[in-house]
Amino acid sequence: MGYDFRMNSKIDKLIKQFAKLPRVGGRAAQRITLALLQDKTGKTVALGAALIDAAETIRPCGICGCLTDGDNCEFCRDASRANGQLCIVRDLSDVWTLEKSGVFSGRYHVIGGLLSGADGVTPEDLNIASLPARLSDEKITEIIFALPNTVEGKTTQHYVMSIIGNKNITFSELASGVPLGGDLDYIDDGTLSIAFGGRKQI
Amino acid sequence: MGYDFRMNSKIDKLIKQFAKLPRVGGRAAQRITLALLQDKTGKTVALGAALIDAAETIRPCGICGCLTDGDNCEFCRDASRANGQLCIVRDLSDVWTLEKSGVFSGRYHVIGGLLSGADGVTPEDLNIASLPARLSDEKITEIIFALPNTVEGKTTQHYVMSIIGNKNITFSELASGVPLGGDLDYIDDGTLSIAFGGRKQI
């Protein structure tokens, strides 16, 4: 490992903390640590304070599951997004991907994972139980599933449809264009736009 | 840019802070932020606290220029490293590279940059002025230059030799094996070991 050697214990610890983050290897962790330790613009303290503040104040929105520092998130507070459409996604990063593409302007519901027998993920592990009440509270008329196009994604989608039942709600899923086995995160905006526009009723 | 869109301002700010770090792009910054915000093991507060503590306590060693949280660094405090050899490097990351390879067991002197007319780096910008006093204080008998094999590296090396003058000290530079234009950071340990073993008197 590029970062495993005897040196100042505080610096060593910091490198190891960075190396544990996603998409950061040992050598990048060294570079990041060195840059932050040599910075004279206050960047390091600012990042440290932002992390502590975020850990203390950022929580899942009680309505949709997006992360926020308020009682409810920006999407749930924004009345202009109450257009009757609810987009169900696995993760907050999928919300970010959709927001960046600009193809959707309704509300989100972040379920936080996918049902999986292999990984032992059951409905109780997901943010699903509150969904039925949301549909009447917010007068939802269309549910758009933007889950990964995988067995787990489809299984989860069918489970969610089954607990909602027949409530005069239109169900949609993204049109083909989403590559099989693909994560929403890796799709370009153009493809995502086509997939959204061509969503088909189930 | 993958991270430039409307969302929670605290999260947005955190992503932007990570995206400014070396070797972290916009998408990696998103992933890192999301992982830290969703972590339930205290990792985020720990990293934040470590950064603030590091920014407040880590300083360049007054003797050699390595970063440390003590009065002097681990290398300068370690009497077993007072073997008369002094290795001059540009940056702390070069120290880490050499330590990892295990080819050197003397003391270091981190000059913090290279002389460069183009970039306007003058001797006053580098940690060089304290060097002559160090040589007698620590009874240095050999100075090993482990600077980049570039015009700037050689210019800096010659400048350092000129201010030290004739003091019965052997000067060495790394043997060929260091690729032309190459940073120490990217050399494998084997090559580095050959270069160290085959260092030649100047």
Side-chain angles (χ1 to χ4, degrees):
Chain A
M1 305 293 275
Y3 51 94
D4 194 20
F5 47 92
R6 190 190 67 83
M7 49 171 294
N8 181 275
S9 59
K10 277 189 188 181
I11 301 178
D12 200 27
K13 198 179 145 203
L14 206 46
I15 293 173
K16 284 186 171 126
Q17 283 173 296
F18 276 113
K20 277 181 199 152
L21 298 179
R23 309 209 187 175
V24 180
R27 199 175 282 266
Q30 278 187 26
R31 279 283 173 204
I32 291 169
T33 301
L34 192 59
L36 285 171
L37 292 178
Q38 292 180 331
D39 175 72
K40 291 180 175 62
T41 65
K43 205 190 275 182
T44 308
V45 169
L47 177 59
L51 283 170
I52 291 172
D53 179 61
E56 284 168 354
T57 62
I58 306 269
R59 295 279 174 273
C61 168
I63 298 172
C64 76
C66 283
L67 293 174
T68 179
D69 61 325
D71 277 344
N72 294 316
C73 76
E74 283 69 12
F75 302 115
C76 289
R77 285 203 308 262
D78 183 351
S80 77
R81 299 193 72 117
N83 64 359
Q85 289 185 320
L86 185 72
C87 184
I88 297 187
V89 296
R90 179 179 55 177
D91 213 336
L92 184 59
S93 65
D94 299 325
V95 172
W96 295 348
T97 304
L98 288 164
E99 282 302 296
K100 190 165 75 72
S101 75
V103 295
F104 180 69
S105 55
R107 294 262 167 83
Y108 290 101
H109 198 81
V110 179
I111 58 174
L114 298 175
L115 295 177
S116 164
D119 296 337
V121 181
T122 66
E124 287 71 42
D125 299 317
L126 304 180
N127 179 30
I128 293 179
S130 64
L131 199 46
R134 250 198 108 173
L135 303 181
S136 44
D137 287 353
E138 302 184 37
K139 300 184 178 57
I140 300 298
T141 55
E142 179 180 7
I143 288 181
I144 302 166
F145 289 98
L147 297 174
N149 198 356
T150 59
V151 172
E152 287 81 8
K154 293 301 172 201
T155 304
T156 308
Q157 177 175 320
H158 288 130
Y159 176 78
V160 171
M161 287 172 70
S162 76
I163 63 158
I164 291 169
N166 192 345
K167 281 213 178 98
N168 213 20
I169 285 172
T170 305
F171 293 104
S172 310
E173 62 186 3
L174 297 193
S176 65
V178 180
L180 280 170
D183 263 13
L184 273 193
D185 236 30
Y186 291 91
I187 302 169
D188 62 277
D189 293 356
T191 309
L192 197 57
S193 182
I194 292 168
F196 236 86
R199 67 181 182 269
K200 56 184 168 58
Q201 196 170 332
I202 308 165
Chain B
M1 304 295 274
Y3 52 93
D4 194 18
F5 47 91
R6 190 190 67 81
M7 49 171 294
N8 181 276
S9 59
K10 277 189 188 180
I11 301 178
D12 200 27
K13 198 180 146 203
L14 207 46
I15 293 173
K16 285 186 170 126
Q17 283 173 295
F18 276 113
K20 276 180 198 151
L21 298 178
R23 310 210 185 171
V24 180
R27 199 175 283 265
Q30 278 187 27
R31 279 283 172 204
I32 291 169
T33 302
L34 193 59
L36 285 172
L37 292 178
Q38 291 180 331
D39 175 74
K40 291 178 175 64
T41 65
K43 205 190 276 183
T44 309
V45 169
L47 178 58
L51 284 170
I52 291 173
D53 178 61
E56 284 168 355
T57 62
I58 305 267
R59 295 280 174 274
C61 168
I63 299 172
C64 77
C66 283
L67 294 174
T68 181
D69 62 326
D71 276 344
N72 294 317
C73 76
E74 283 69 12
F75 302 115
C76 290
R77 284 203 308 262
D78 183 351
S80 76
R81 299 194 72 118
N83 63 359
Q85 289 184 319
L86 185 72
C87 184
I88 297 188
V89 296
R90 179 179 55 178
D91 213 337
L92 184 58
S93 65
D94 299 326
V95 173
W96 295 348
T97 303
L98 288 164
E99 282 301 297
K100 190 165 77 70
S101 76
V103 296
F104 181 68
S105 55
R107 293 261 167 84
Y108 291 101
H109 198 81
V110 179
I111 57 175
L114 298 175
L115 294 178
S116 165
D119 297 338
V121 180
T122 66
E124 288 71 40
D125 300 318
L126 303 181
N127 178 31
I128 292 179
S130 64
L131 199 46
R134 250 199 106 171
L135 303 182
S136 44
D137 288 352
E138 302 184 36
K139 301 185 177 53
I140 300 298
T141 55
E142 178 181 7
I143 289 182
I144 301 166
F145 289 98
L147 298 173
N149 198 355
T150 59
V151 172
E152 288 82 7
K154 293 299 172 201
T155 305
T156 308
Q157 177 175 319
H158 289 132
Y159 175 80
V160 171
M161 287 173 69
S162 76
I163 63 159
I164 291 170
N166 192 345
K167 282 213 177 96
N168 211 19
I169 286 172
T170 305
F171 293 104
S172 310
E173 61 186 3
L174 297 193
S176 65
V178 181
L180 280 170
D183 263 12
L184 274 194
D185 236 30
Y186 292 91
I187 301 170
D188 64 277
D189 292 355
T191 308
L192 197 57
S193 182
I194 291 168
F196 236 86
R199 66 180 181 270
K200 56 186 168 56
Q201 196 169 332
I202 309 166

